[in-house]
Amino acid sequence: MYDIELVIDGKKKKFERNYPPTLANITDAMKIQRIEIEMVNSGKSFYTDEQLDEREKRIADFAVRFWKNQFTAEDVLN
């Protein structure tokens, strides 16, 4: 149903998830959306390093939880 392909240790690896998102997954996605809305509505013409770092961390953590810890957040970031 869902798949992601990451390069880990120089090799492409495909990870699959064959069931629908859970409430926890939806909540995680909403947290990322909240961060993005705050960034857009901040009134600034640029984003801070802290905002970008938080967004990146949340997306990586979301992926790890969504695919049930088949890889690490560091794998997603790299």
Side-chain angles (χ1 to χ4, degrees):
M1 185 180 285
Y2 302 95
D3 62 69
I4 187 172
E5 191 171 86
L6 303 174
V7 176
I8 300 174
D9 298 327
K11 298 177 184 173
K12 284 186 180 182
K13 295 185 181 181
K14 186 174 182 178
F15 301 91
E16 295 182 351
R17 176 185 169 129
N18 295 314
Y19 48 92
T22 63
L23 178 57
N25 299 143
I26 294 167
T27 301
D28 287 343
M30 290 173 64
K31 290 175 184 177
I32 294 168
Q33 185 178 34
R34 179 192 49 81
I35 289 169
E36 296 197 357
I37 289 169
E38 287 175 357
M39 289 170 67
V40 169
N41 291 331
S42 69
K44 298 178 183 175
S45 58
F46 61 91
Y47 305 126
T48 66
D49 290 348
E50 292 79 16
Q51 287 173 312
L52 293 170
D53 290 344
E54 178 66 15
R55 180 178 177 266
E56 182 180 74
K57 179 187 180 316
R58 292 277 185 149
I59 291 170
D61 290 345
F62 170 83
V64 171
R65 283 185 60 172
F66 189 85
W67 273 276
K68 294 288 188 186
N69 300 307
Q70 295 181 68
F71 46 80
T72 68
E74 194 69 24
D75 293 330
V76 175
L77 293 172
N78 293 323

